Amino acid sequence: MSNEPVSDPNALQEAEKYDNPVASREFILGILAEHAGPMTLNRLISHLEYDGDEERIEGLSRRLRAMERDGQIIRNRRGGYVPVTHTELVRGRVLGHRDGFGFLIPDEGGDDVFLSPRVMRALLNGDRAIVQITGVDRRGRPEGNLVEVIERANAEIVGRLVLEAGIAFVVPDHARMTQDVLVPMTDLGGAKDGQIVRVALVEQPTLRHKPVGKVIEVLGDHMSPGMEIDIAINAHGIPYHWPPAVLEEIDGLNPEVADADKLGRVDLRHLPLVTIDGVDSKDFDDAVYCTKVAEGHRLIVAIADVSHYVRVGSPLDQEGFNRATSVYFPGRVVPMLPEILSNGLCSLNPAVDRLCLCADMLIGDDGLIKKYRFFEGVMRSAARLTYDFVAQVLVDKDPAARAERPDLLAPLETLYDLYRILRAAREQRGAIDFETVETRIVFGEGRKIEAIVPYERNDAHKIIEECMIAANVAAGRFLTDQKIPSLYRVHDRPALEKLTDLRAMLAEKGLSLGGGEQPTPKDFNALITAAQARPDFATIQTVVLRSLKQAVYSPDNLGHFGLAHPFYAHFTSPIRRYPDLLVHRAIRHILRTGSAENFPYSHEEMVIIGEHCSNNERRADEATRDATDWLKCEFMLDKVGEVFEGRVSSVLGFGLFVELKEFFVEGLLHITALTKDYYHFDPVTLTLKGERSGRVFALNDTLKVRVARVDLDERKIDFVLPDDEDDGESAEEEFLDEDTEAEESADSGDKKKRRRPRRRRKKSSDGANAVNSEAAGDHPSE
């Protein structure tokens, strides 16, 4: 007879799994939480009445060690166990800041915990740790002290090797890694001063010692063509080698779809489905076809059937999960799936049979989806069209373009009619719509940058965008109706404190945001419409955008606030996004079995997968931004000393970020370069105001600036005002030592006089200048 305490809610489950079960994790946590103080192993043994039962004592010891490892409990110096759910103990992931301090992002949600530079000496970005709340910092944030490192995130680091006075160290390229890695002279692996290297960490950092590493690969010289992408890939830990098991799995794949795989599918090969993508696209994962029917429009969105080839738990699946997303660098892609799938079998190339999963929708004249169904199909793309060509056909009515494919004119015109209806419905429901400028880098011979140009979006882009949004909405509704665990693309409502700050800024400008504590997307759109004719419209749009949350993947459907849709799931890009593949698997499971039973994923597993995919999406964005910033700095190297006209894109306590109108390149006009006056930062109006002159610098002001310095390593461009150069030190002379406190003062909106801090500020990739493009509307086709 078991002597397991009957109050253990999981006793039966434990008994089913183990011959000699011990108390469940939940029960142990409950005991520790109720006990007045830490409990030693002996006291727990007595409490659970395990005395003399060696098997159970050993089982309990193993369970406690596992709970320690997973950060559920900690053991103090006297051997007493304490639950981490205790209010003063928080576990989570470390987010480093380039100025030496950091934050702990709690696993359980809630406020981030500030970690001082002293605490961060023992930590690196991405580590998981337990901290004890010791109070609040000067800005009212909870502040923590390190209790224990649960998991180290960095086995390797990429950076530039420095040999100095007989000492070798590597300066990490990753902006969130602020600690140099010491390298013994015997472990240089032939690397030379200034080269970019990959080091394996032999010793992790402690409060007293820096990390120690060993050079395991020389990536190349500092300015080699393409080096910026190699650095970004390695610095952010993006996998780019295919494991042997994956290569073995794809070795037997045939480039043509097998006849047996086409059986039992809906045959769409008679329909003129077409792909519409950018001129440089190589993987085509969506095709569209539209026809007019009595009740409105019938839209078929056919998506590459990746789930047919990537089986659950296979090496391909494991590596796809590991990568989570394709990463698009300027001129190079690191794909989520091998090329034989991404550009071959799964790509909807023209004039070849391909397997697809289809969303078949009936859309009324009001733009709402009246009916929808999903089915497995086989298709043959009628054409690979580009956005520019479709715009010439539909918008410009170019005779030559229209004569090129007369057979496609009718379905394309019908598709354009549907787009106008969907666009009107978008405006009617109040989806938030921002007009932002994206850029692309044009390369010449030897990968030398020829130009940085704006990326033009025409109506053809918007046609595909609206079609993909419709398919994603149908997928979200289907998953909800079937009650099957999957991932939604969630864009939550703005936080109350962000709304408060936004309304304070708007009040200064004589504007207001309706909706009280829960404004709707319509309220935001009404604000944008009211501000559209104002000269400071760009400023208002920027501040509104920054008040919105970031979209994430979650099995809990909270709707998509920016798009004003209650149901939304990414369905349209399974070649390059792992969440889309999971959505396909969920839909296929329902189609084949008729119910959600025996689906190989649980809600809890989807929570973990969603967090992983959201994190990897951010990792990809940071890596791409790093490489792009490097290229822009390289482009500006020969322009030091020249004067250009720019626009103020961000106003912070430590200066202005200015975007050059000619090149769409951004740099910092540091507050110490404003030498003719002392300036105060106003966080409400986002302005810098001169104490004596009264001069105000605000968002979207036009300025003439001189390029003072370009730093490739830190991806920084520094500007000065040409008129101020004679009255003080230039920005190039002002590179001094770091002062975290000065930046914290600037970030907090402190209105003290801004004098010269001890080190130039670096632009934060997650600071006030970061914007979430998806907050303005999901762009699943891009």
Short mmCIF file of all heavy atoms in Angstrom, two decimals, residues 492-494 496 499 503 513-524 561:
data_model
loop_
_atom_site.label_atom_id
_atom_site.label_comp_id
_atom_site.label_asym_id
_atom_site.label_seq_id
_atom_site.Cartn_x
_atom_site.Cartn_y
_atom_site.Cartn_z
N ASP A 492 -1.63 41.97 -29.21
CA ASP A 492 -2.47 42.37 -28.08
C ASP A 492 -2.69 43.88 -28.06
O ASP A 492 -2.00 44.65 -28.74
CB ASP A 492 -1.80 41.92 -26.78
CG ASP A 492 -2.80 41.78 -25.64
OD1 ASP A 492 -4.00 42.03 -25.87
OD2 ASP A 492 -2.38 41.41 -24.53
N ARG A 493 -3.64 44.29 -27.24
CA ARG A 493 -3.95 45.71 -27.06
C ARG A 493 -2.76 46.45 -26.45
O ARG A 493 -1.95 45.86 -25.74
CB ARG A 493 -5.16 45.87 -26.13
CG ARG A 493 -6.45 45.36 -26.71
CD ARG A 493 -7.58 45.50 -25.70
NE ARG A 493 -8.86 45.14 -26.31
CZ ARG A 493 -9.61 45.97 -27.01
NH1 ARG A 493 -9.22 47.21 -27.19
NH2 ARG A 493 -10.75 45.57 -27.54
N PRO A 494 -2.65 47.75 -26.68
CA PRO A 494 -1.56 48.53 -26.07
C PRO A 494 -1.66 48.52 -24.55
O PRO A 494 -2.76 48.46 -23.98
CB PRO A 494 -1.76 49.93 -26.63
CG PRO A 494 -2.67 49.78 -27.80
CD PRO A 494 -3.51 48.59 -27.53
N LEU A 496 -1.60 50.02 -20.78
CA LEU A 496 -2.21 51.25 -20.26
C LEU A 496 -1.19 52.36 -20.10
O LEU A 496 -1.48 53.53 -20.40
CB LEU A 496 -2.90 50.94 -18.93
CG LEU A 496 -3.69 52.10 -18.30
CD1 LEU A 496 -4.78 52.59 -19.24
CD2 LEU A 496 -4.30 51.64 -16.97
N LEU A 499 -0.49 53.99 -23.33
CA LEU A 499 -1.60 54.86 -23.73
C LEU A 499 -1.54 56.18 -22.97
O LEU A 499 -1.81 57.25 -23.53
CB LEU A 499 -2.93 54.16 -23.46
CG LEU A 499 -3.26 52.96 -24.34
CD1 LEU A 499 -4.55 52.29 -23.86
CD2 LEU A 499 -3.41 53.39 -25.80
N ARG A 503 -1.24 59.75 -24.82
CA ARG A 503 -2.26 60.79 -24.65
C ARG A 503 -1.65 62.09 -24.13
O ARG A 503 -2.08 63.18 -24.49
CB ARG A 503 -3.37 60.30 -23.73
CG ARG A 503 -4.28 59.26 -24.41
CD ARG A 503 -5.56 59.05 -23.61
NE ARG A 503 -6.56 58.35 -24.42
CZ ARG A 503 -6.88 57.06 -24.27
NH1 ARG A 503 -6.29 56.35 -23.33
NH2 ARG A 503 -7.79 56.51 -25.04
N LEU A 513 -6.97 60.77 -28.30
CA LEU A 513 -7.26 59.39 -28.71
C LEU A 513 -8.50 58.93 -27.98
O LEU A 513 -8.54 58.95 -26.75
CB LEU A 513 -6.07 58.48 -28.39
CG LEU A 513 -6.28 56.97 -28.60
CD1 LEU A 513 -6.43 56.65 -30.08
CD2 LEU A 513 -5.13 56.18 -27.98
N GLY A 514 -9.52 58.50 -28.71
CA GLY A 514 -10.76 58.05 -28.08
C GLY A 514 -10.64 56.64 -27.52
O GLY A 514 -9.59 56.01 -27.60
N GLY A 515 -11.73 56.16 -26.94
CA GLY A 515 -11.77 54.77 -26.50
C GLY A 515 -11.43 54.52 -25.06
O GLY A 515 -11.44 53.36 -24.61
N GLY A 516 -11.09 55.56 -24.29
CA GLY A 516 -10.78 55.36 -22.88
C GLY A 516 -9.60 54.43 -22.68
O GLY A 516 -8.58 54.52 -23.36
N GLU A 517 -9.75 53.48 -21.70
CA GLU A 517 -8.66 52.56 -21.39
C GLU A 517 -8.53 51.44 -22.40
O GLU A 517 -7.53 50.73 -22.41
CB GLU A 517 -8.85 51.97 -19.98
CG GLU A 517 -8.68 52.98 -18.87
CD GLU A 517 -8.71 52.32 -17.50
OE1 GLU A 517 -8.87 51.08 -17.44
OE2 GLU A 517 -8.58 53.04 -16.49
N GLN A 518 -9.55 51.27 -23.25
CA GLN A 518 -9.50 50.21 -24.25
C GLN A 518 -9.87 50.76 -25.63
O GLN A 518 -10.91 50.42 -26.20
CB GLN A 518 -10.43 49.06 -23.89
CG GLN A 518 -9.96 48.28 -22.67
CD GLN A 518 -10.70 46.95 -22.54
OE1 GLN A 518 -11.86 46.82 -22.91
NE2 GLN A 518 -10.01 45.96 -21.98
N PRO A 519 -9.01 51.62 -26.19
CA PRO A 519 -9.29 52.14 -27.53
C PRO A 519 -9.26 51.02 -28.56
O PRO A 519 -8.51 50.04 -28.42
CB PRO A 519 -8.15 53.13 -27.75
CG PRO A 519 -7.05 52.67 -26.86
CD PRO A 519 -7.72 52.09 -25.65
N THR A 520 -10.05 51.17 -29.58
CA THR A 520 -10.11 50.18 -30.65
C THR A 520 -9.19 50.63 -31.79
O THR A 520 -8.74 51.78 -31.83
CB THR A 520 -11.53 50.05 -31.19
OG1 THR A 520 -11.90 51.30 -31.81
CG2 THR A 520 -12.52 49.74 -30.07
N PRO A 521 -8.91 49.73 -32.74
CA PRO A 521 -8.15 50.16 -33.92
C PRO A 521 -8.81 51.34 -34.63
O PRO A 521 -8.11 52.20 -35.18
CB PRO A 521 -8.14 48.91 -34.80
CG PRO A 521 -8.25 47.77 -33.83
CD PRO A 521 -9.14 48.27 -32.73
N LYS A 522 -10.14 51.40 -34.60
CA LYS A 522 -10.83 52.54 -35.23
C LYS A 522 -10.44 53.85 -34.57
O LYS A 522 -10.30 54.88 -35.23
CB LYS A 522 -12.35 52.34 -35.15
CG LYS A 522 -12.93 51.49 -36.28
CD LYS A 522 -14.44 51.56 -36.27
CE LYS A 522 -15.02 50.80 -37.45
NZ LYS A 522 -16.49 50.86 -37.52
N ASP A 523 -10.29 53.83 -33.25
CA ASP A 523 -9.89 55.05 -32.53
C ASP A 523 -8.51 55.50 -32.98
O ASP A 523 -8.26 56.70 -33.16
CB ASP A 523 -9.90 54.80 -31.02
CG ASP A 523 -11.29 54.53 -30.49
OD1 ASP A 523 -12.23 55.24 -30.88
OD2 ASP A 523 -11.44 53.58 -29.68
N PHE A 524 -7.60 54.54 -33.16
CA PHE A 524 -6.26 54.89 -33.63
C PHE A 524 -6.32 55.44 -35.05
O PHE A 524 -5.63 56.41 -35.37
CB PHE A 524 -5.35 53.66 -33.57
CG PHE A 524 -4.77 53.40 -32.22
CD1 PHE A 524 -5.44 52.61 -31.30
CD2 PHE A 524 -3.56 53.96 -31.85
CE1 PHE A 524 -4.92 52.38 -30.04
CE2 PHE A 524 -3.01 53.73 -30.59
CZ PHE A 524 -3.70 52.93 -29.68
N PHE A 561 -4.85 42.98 -32.93
CA PHE A 561 -5.34 44.35 -32.72
C PHE A 561 -5.08 45.23 -33.94
O PHE A 561 -5.97 45.96 -34.39
CB PHE A 561 -4.67 44.94 -31.48
CG PHE A 561 -5.16 46.32 -31.13
CD1 PHE A 561 -6.36 46.50 -30.46
CD2 PHE A 561 -4.42 47.45 -31.48
CE1 PHE A 561 -6.81 47.77 -30.14
CE2 PHE A 561 -4.86 48.72 -31.17
CZ PHE A 561 -6.07 48.88 -30.50
#
